[in-house]
Amino acid sequence: MKIVIIGGTGLIGTKLAGKLRQKGHDVVPASPRTSVNTITGEGLGMALSGAEIVVDVANSPSFEDSAALKFFETSGRNLLAAEAAAGVRHHVALSVVGTDRLPECGYFRAKLAQENLIRTSKIPYTILRATQFFEFIGGIVDSSSDGQTVRLSPALFQPVASDDVAAALAGVTLGAPVNGVVELAGPDRFSLDEFGRKYLTTKKDPRKVVADVHARYFGAELDDRSLTPGSNPRLGLVRFEDWLARPAA
Ligand SMILES: NC(=O)c1ccc[n+]([C@@H]2O[C@H](COP(=O)([O-])OP(=O)(O)OC[C@H]3O[C@@H](n4cnc5c(N)ncnc54)[C@H](OP(=O)(O)O)[C@@H]3O)[C@@H](O)[C@H]2O)c1
């Protein structure tokens, strides 16, 4: 089966491509690096020709509010139109747990706009909403740092390993479209400041984490519901401490 991965050269896309190839599928990683661009439309029709499934794991090169919104709206429109023309029968997209609960966060507004385009298209779809990847925690800590102090919210946080995201994505890609949302989170749930502390301790980084209920996460104050999944999420297998102990972490 021909499966096109938009963003197939990125962190998740590369892992997903490997998993789907192992199962014998004809996988096409599509991104500017492979001369396919969902913003300009370059190479899109050719890449999608004969494809049965498209997985969208592209990301905006800029996380600035209006740039991210423009990216996901333009990319989503161009991609869904090209899929309709090519007769694609399953559109899979990777989104973020809580996209509908954090309107103060511009990036989440952009992901919600992407999801809404999918919901109103006529293509059968599955949206996998994952929590934050372990690989993203260093970026959260850095963006919350002021010198030697890192202010992080004590709100509950339940991140997941990118390997678990790719595995869950492979499963929903090869399953029937659910025309709805599936949630995925990691096996451990504790406060965001605690994750930050564990991360810095393992890295032997001297910065100190301060729990602050008003600390903003990409523009938004958090509560215990903001970034955690609902009642029945799929859970990844990799524990944060085991991931931290890996040399590549
Ligand atoms: N980070 C998190 O914690 C988190 C949590 C939940 C969900 N997500 C979602 O997971 C998805 C994948 O994230 P990631 O970390 O794997 O991303 P990533 O490593 O930054 O990769 C982004 C991919 O998007 C491609 N891309 C950029 N512009 C494009 C364009 N105009 N046309 C086609 N492809 C384009 C890039 O291609 P080139 O290599 O050619 O530049 C690259 O393959 C994102 O949609 C994100 O919202 C992230």
Side-chain angles (χ1 to χ4, degrees):
M1 184 156 56
K2 179 173 173 181
I3 304 174
V4 176
I5 304 178
I6 305 293
T9 54
L11 173 68
I12 300 296
T14 307
K15 293 177 188 244
L16 177 64
K19 289 186 188 299
L20 295 174
R21 282 198 184 108
Q22 265 174 15
K23 291 193 179 292
H25 296 291
D26 170 18
V27 178
V28 178
S31 80
R33 253 191 278 175
T34 67
S35 303
V36 180
N37 191 320
T38 53
I39 299 298
T40 63
E42 179 200 357
L44 201 48
M46 184 121 70
L48 263 51
S49 172
E52 290 185 51
I53 304 177
V54 172
V55 187
D56 185 5
V57 288
N59 209 355
S60 170
S62 166
F63 280 32
E64 186 274 322
D65 290 4
S66 56
L69 183 62
K70 195 168 173 204
F71 177 87
F72 283 112
E73 283 186 337
T74 309
S75 175
R77 275 201 195 97
N78 289 343
L79 181 57
L80 291 163
E83 287 180 31
V88 167
R89 62 172 183 80
H90 189 184
H91 176 94
V92 179
L94 182 58
S95 189
V96 190
V97 164
T99 38
D100 49 345
R101 289 196 297 271
L102 220 53
E104 305 84 3
C105 173
Y107 186 80
F108 277 35
R109 288 200 299 277
K111 292 299 287 184
L112 193 58
Q114 177 193 18
E115 289 191 3
N116 287 338
L117 286 169
I118 296 166
R119 285 192 190 91
T120 51
S121 82
K122 293 196 170 59
I123 300 166
Y125 70 91
T126 304
I127 296 170
L128 180 72
R129 281 186 184 168
T131 53
Q132 288 62 42
F133 310 156
F134 291 162
E135 288 81 352
F136 194 54
I137 291 177
I140 296 174
V141 167
D142 289 345
S143 68
S144 308
S145 293
D146 184 2
Q148 290 303 298
T149 305
V150 186
R151 287 188 186 282
L152 289 173
S153 168
L156 286 176
F157 194 61
Q158 198 173 342
V160 63
S162 61
D163 285 336
D164 283 331
V165 177
L169 207 46
V172 300
T173 297
L174 300 176
V178 303
N179 296 314
V181 169
V182 176
E183 287 192 319
L184 173 74
D188 301 309
R189 175 190 281 211
F190 30 89
S191 63
L192 176 54
D193 65 297
E194 194 53 34
F195 271 100
R197 237 170 253 120
K198 284 181 194 293
Y199 177 83
L200 291 177
T201 303
T202 306
K203 299 277 163 201
K204 300 190 173 27
D205 185 318
R207 284 177 288 174
K208 290 276 169 276
V209 174
V210 174
D212 178 352
V213 288
H214 299 300
R216 289 181 179 266
Y217 175 87
F218 297 99
E221 285 189 17
L222 303 176
D223 62 33
D224 285 348
R225 286 282 297 119
S226 305
L227 299 177
T228 46
S231 53
N232 199 20
R234 297 189 186 182
L235 293 180
L237 299 174
V238 183
R239 315 279 314 253
F240 186 57
E241 290 187 358
D242 295 335
W243 179 84
L244 276 176
R246 293 180 187 172

